[in-house]
Amino acid sequence: MCGREKAKVTKCLFPVAGLGTRFLPVTKEIAKEMLPLVNRPIISYGVEEALASGCSDIIMITGRAKRSIEDYFDRSFELEQLLKARGKDELHDMVVGISNLAEILYVRQREPLGLGHAVLCGEPFCRGEYFGVVLPDDVFVGDVPVMSQLIDVHDRLGGTVVALERVPRGDVSRYGIVRSEVVEGGIHRILDMVEKPSVDEAPGEYAIMGRYVLSPSVFPLLAERRLGAGGEIQLTDALRRLAETEPVWGVVYQGRRFDCGTQKGWLAANVQLALEDPDLRKVVLDVVKASQ
Ligand code: UTP
C-alpha cells in the first residue's frame, strides 16, 4: 500500500452515549464530556484534535442527558447579542468561534448497548470509507495530535489503526489488551486482543486507548451484535475478528494521556494542566502551600 494516494480520513465519530457510571452522581444529569478541563469542556479537546488531524466531519453518537453537548457547539444568539451590547467583544468572538468550529452531526444511540453498538450507529455516515473514532474521555496533549499519528500510519500502511499504550499488569482489566509483534519503531501488527481481561488472561502488556482509524469492514461484524465483556457489544471483539482478514496496526502514540473518565483522573488532569498554565500555576501552588 506504500506510495498510494494519501487516503482521506475526513469523518470522525465521537461515541458519547455512555452512562458514565464511574462519575456518578454528577453524570445523573450532566454529560461528563461537558465537565471543565481547565478552561474548556473535555469534549472540545477531542474535537480540536480531530479537526487538527484533517477530519472535517464530526459525528457525535449521543444519548440521554447529553443535550448540553449539542447546545455547546450550537449558536447562542441571546448570549451573543447580550455580549455584543455590553461591549464584551472578546467573549462574543469566543462564543461565536465555538459554534463555527465544525459541522457536527448528531445521532442518538437509543440504548447504551456498548461502544461497538455506538460505532455501529455511525454506519450511515461512514459507509464504504475509513473513519476516525475519538473517545473524548481520553484527552491527549502533545506536539502532534494522536489522531493524526494514526492517520499517518493508515496513509502509509493502509488498514485499521489503534492507539496503544503500555500499561502496568495490575491495570489490564480496565482496557482492551493486545497481543502484537513490532513491525517498526512504535508500530505493532496486532494479532489478537481481549477486552478487559483478568491479569492471567491478558495476551500482552499494551492497551488500546481511545483513538482509532477503522475500516468500514468493521460494520458487518458489529451488526452481528455479539455480546462481550459486561454484556455489551464491544468494539474490541469486532476488531479481533477484523484482524483475521485485514491488517490492524497499533501505534504507540507520542504524547501524554489524561483519563478524564473517572473523578480521580479528571481531577489529576485539571491540576496538572493548571500547573502548566502560566496564569493558573500560582493558584494551584498557593492552595497546596496553604494546606500544608
Ligand atoms: P466507557 O466504557 O468509558 O463507558 O465508554 P461510559 O459509560 O462512558 O463510562 P462508565 O464506564 O460507565 O463510567 C467508552 C466510550 O464509549 C461511549 C462512552 O460515551 C465513551 O466515550 N459509549 C459507551 C457509548 O457511546 N455507548 C455505549 O453504549 C457505551
Side-chain angles (χ1 to χ4, degrees), residues 15-22 32-33 109 112-115 118 135-137:
V16 293
L19 295 177
T21 52
R22 287 167 297 164
K32 64 179 167 181
E33 296 80 4
Q109 183 192 21
L113 299 177
L115 172 59
L135 307 188
D137 284 2

Side-chain angles (χ1 to χ4, degrees), residues 32-37 39-46 72 98:
K32 64 179 167 181
E33 296 80 4
M34 287 305 297
L35 293 174
L37 182 51
N39 61 357
R40 53 200 197 279
I42 291 170
I43 185 83
S44 59
Y45 289 80
Y72 179 74
I98 293 165

Side-chain angles (χ1 to χ4, degrees), residues 86-132:
R86 293 186 180 172
K88 303 197 176 209
D89 291 346
E90 228 171 274
L91 287 178
H92 169 271
D93 293 350
M94 182 183 74
V95 166
V96 172
I98 293 165
S99 55
N100 287 336
L101 258 183
E103 269 317 312
I104 306 184
L105 295 171
Y106 298 89
V107 185
R108 274 266 188 161
Q109 183 192 21
R110 289 195 185 159
E111 272 182 275
L113 299 177
L115 172 59
H117 180 257
V119 170
L120 182 61
C121 293
E123 182 182 19
F125 305 94
C126 304
R127 217 168 259 150
E129 56 189 294
Y130 280 85
F131 59 96

